[in-house]
């Protein structure tokens, strides 16, 4: 798995999320976006203001104070029942690690660009199932509950590699990671990016 760390240009998280997405939008006249943690749509509204092609956004959210049209409910349930074929982009701007949502995206063999926000809490937040997927046993996990949290992002990258992802682009700040990958890996290299190869990962 190769990672490309983008240069940190400002200290606004939302601006970072927007910049990452604008840099890696598929080149198409019309884009279909599935925004699984839609919220108030701040990110995609900002992108549409800067982007002159049409963006069709389908949003999902479980909160009750949203006035804009959206699919209402738990995105894990909604994603499970959805056909993802018509979407060019899946956006997983979560508060934690969207393991279950990504699992569905991989199970459904989604073809396209995925943007992810992965945030690790100090004490953990690493999904047990993810650790099992990459080869840890339940006995190993019982022995130490906290060591896994410290290396959470590393394990997450390992898990992405296990799911066939060869390259990610990310902006990382402490425990917050904004990343994107192309499930088909047809991205062309971008000169402005720093490329890091992670040793020991397939
Ligand atoms: C970081 S905010 C998203 C902000 C949004 N991307 C924007 O541009 O305004 C995360 C959102 O995900 C929603 N959310 C969290 N867990 C969810 C779940 N399991 N299913 C659906 N929505 C969820 C929250 O209600 C919240 O609005």
């Amino acid at each position: 798995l190769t990672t490309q760390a983008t240069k940190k240009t400002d200290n606004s998280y939302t601006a970072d999320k927007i910049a990452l997405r604008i840099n890696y939008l598929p080149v198409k006249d019309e884009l279909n976006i599935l925004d699984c943690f839609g919220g108030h749509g701040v990110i995609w509204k900002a992108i549409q203001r800067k982007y002159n092609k049409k963006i069709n956004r389908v949003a999902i959210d479980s909160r009750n104070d949203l006035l804009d049209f959206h699919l209402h409910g738990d995105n894990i349930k909604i994603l499970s029942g959805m056909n993802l074929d018509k979407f060019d982009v899946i956006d997983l701007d979560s508060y934690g690690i969207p393991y279950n949502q990504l699992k569905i995206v991989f199970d459904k063999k989604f073809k396209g660009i995925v943007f992810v926000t992965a945030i690790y809490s100090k004490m953990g937040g690493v999904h047990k199932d993810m650790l099992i997927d990459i080869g840890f046993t339940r006995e190993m996990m019982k022995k130490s509950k906290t060591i896994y949290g410290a290396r959470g992002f590393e394990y997450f990258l390992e898990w992405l590699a296990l799911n066939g992802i060869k390259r990610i682009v990310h902006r990382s700040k402490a425990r917050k990671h904004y990343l994107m990958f192309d499930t088909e890996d047809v991205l062309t290299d971008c000169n402005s990016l720093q490329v890091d190869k992670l040793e020991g990962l397939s």
Side-chain angles (χ1 to χ4, degrees):
L1 178 79
T2 308
T3 68
Q4 299 176 332
T6 58
K7 284 179 192 146
K8 285 176 189 165
T9 48
D10 57 59
N11 33 26
S12 157
Y13 297 147
T14 305
D16 271 0
K17 291 179 184 178
I18 293 166
L20 179 71
R21 284 158 177 76
I22 287 188
N23 283 331
Y24 290 98
L25 284 181
V27 184
K28 276 184 140 186
D29 287 338
E30 206 169 306
L31 287 175
N32 291 310
I33 314 288
L34 180 59
D35 196 3
C36 302
F37 293 81
H40 291 283
V42 173
I43 292 177
W44 287 98
K45 278 176 196 159
I47 293 170
Q48 183 68 90
R49 280 197 292 273
K50 295 180 187 190
Y51 192 73
N52 59 10
K53 304 218 167 114
K54 191 161 186 250
I55 296 177
N56 307 312
R57 168 178 170 269
V58 173
I60 305 175
D61 208 291
S62 53
R63 60 196 283 171
N64 291 318
D65 60 346
L66 297 176
L67 300 175
D68 289 356
F69 176 77
H70 65 282
L71 303 176
H72 190 77
D74 181 1
N75 55 22
I76 297 172
K77 273 198 194 143
I78 294 173
L79 266 172
S80 313
M82 260 178 117
N83 181 348
L84 304 181
D85 293 352
K86 77 163 198 173
F87 296 103
D88 304 297
V89 171
I90 292 187
D91 194 321
L92 298 170
D93 182 26
S94 72
Y95 289 133
I97 294 102
Y99 168 77
N100 292 305
Q101 292 82 354
L102 273 170
K103 212 168 152 48
I104 298 167
V105 168
F106 289 134
D107 285 350
K108 289 185 181 264
K109 305 201 183 325
F110 170 70
K111 292 190 178 76
I113 303 291
V114 182
F115 294 107
V116 180
T117 303
I119 301 174
Y120 287 88
S121 67
K122 230 179 196 162
M123 294 305 288
V126 183
H127 287 260
K128 280 204 183 94
D129 290 343
M130 181 187 291
L131 294 173
I132 302 259
D133 291 348
I134 61 171
F136 288 97
T137 62
R138 293 198 188 274
E139 285 67 39
M140 287 159 93
M141 287 188 286
K142 259 185 228 153
K143 280 187 193 136
S144 174
K145 289 207 167 67
T146 51
I147 56 161
Y148 300 100
R151 298 182 67 192
F153 190 56
E154 217 174 296
Y155 296 142
F156 180 50
L157 295 183
E158 233 173 276
W159 184 76
L160 289 180
L162 188 74
N163 282 283
I165 303 307
K166 295 189 175 63
R167 193 158 51 144
I168 64 151
V169 175
H170 70 108
R171 289 184 171 206
S172 297
K173 289 174 176 176
R175 295 174 192 283
K176 296 187 183 186
H177 305 274
Y178 308 128
L179 58 123
M180 70 74 60
F181 55 83
D182 179 350
T183 60
E184 298 191 286
D185 200 35
V186 290
L187 279 176
T188 47
D189 277 321
C190 172
N191 290 333
S192 65
L193 296 170
Q194 180 193 325
V195 180
D196 307 318
K197 219 177 176 90
L198 283 189
E199 296 301 330
L201 297 183
S202 52

